[in-house]
Amino acid sequence: QVQLVESGGGLVQAGGSLRLSCAASGRTFSSYAMGWFRQAPGKEREFVAAISWSGGSTNYADSVKGRFTISRDNAKNTVYLQMNGLKPEDTAVYYCAAKLYGTARSTSEYKYWGQGTQVTVSS
């Protein structure tokens, strides 16, 4: 069982940066690949980034590649999403999620989800 709690969201100006954190419970955190997803009003939840259990493999949605960086600190049971060069279209509720082992881009592959944190980017 894994519980996830996101933090770090807020209101920023376009071009600004935010660092999201996702704190995970459980002693098996290192066995899980972690992902970040987001959902804007009226839209489907979409993949943002994912990282393998070791941190050795990452992947990103094309829309955020080069701007966002996912990382993890297994000693702290925490995964991060560093977001730079934020755009208004990045506005969404951001969720972290966990699945066993390998990374994936589909929401259905992830078993555990946090409650989300709101990111709003103003222009």
Side-chain angles (χ1 to χ4, degrees):
Q1 295 182 353
V2 176
Q3 292 188 72
L4 306 173
V5 180
E6 302 95 337
S7 63
L11 174 65
V12 297
Q13 296 285 324
S17 298
L18 282 174
R19 184 178 178 86
L20 305 184
S21 298
C22 176
S25 66
R27 296 190 296 174
T28 60
F29 176 75
S30 62
S31 298
Y32 290 86
M34 302 294 297
W36 285 97
F37 295 79
R38 66 188 183 187
Q39 187 166 21
K43 295 185 177 181
E44 297 291 324
R45 193 184 308 160
E46 66 176 357
F47 170 78
V48 176
I51 187 167
S52 63
W53 74 270
S54 67
S57 180
T58 60
N59 57 81
Y60 298 91
D62 289 342
S63 59
V64 306
K65 193 173 299 181
R67 298 188 297 121
F68 291 9
T69 303
I70 188 170
S71 62
R72 69 190 297 163
D73 186 339
N74 288 346
K76 297 182 182 295
N77 288 351
T78 302
V79 63
Y80 305 96
L81 185 68
Q82 178 66 48
M83 305 185 295
N84 299 325
L86 284 163
K87 305 174 181 179
E89 52 262 44
D90 295 318
T91 295
V93 177
Y94 283 70
Y95 300 89
C96 65
K99 67 179 294 293
L100 282 170
Y101 307 120
T103 59
R105 302 171 73 94
S106 298
T107 59
S108 61
E109 297 289 340
Y110 290 82
K111 183 175 182 179
Y112 303 102
W113 293 85
Q115 294 298 307
T117 185
Q118 177 71 49
V119 172
T120 302
V121 184
S122 62
S123 59

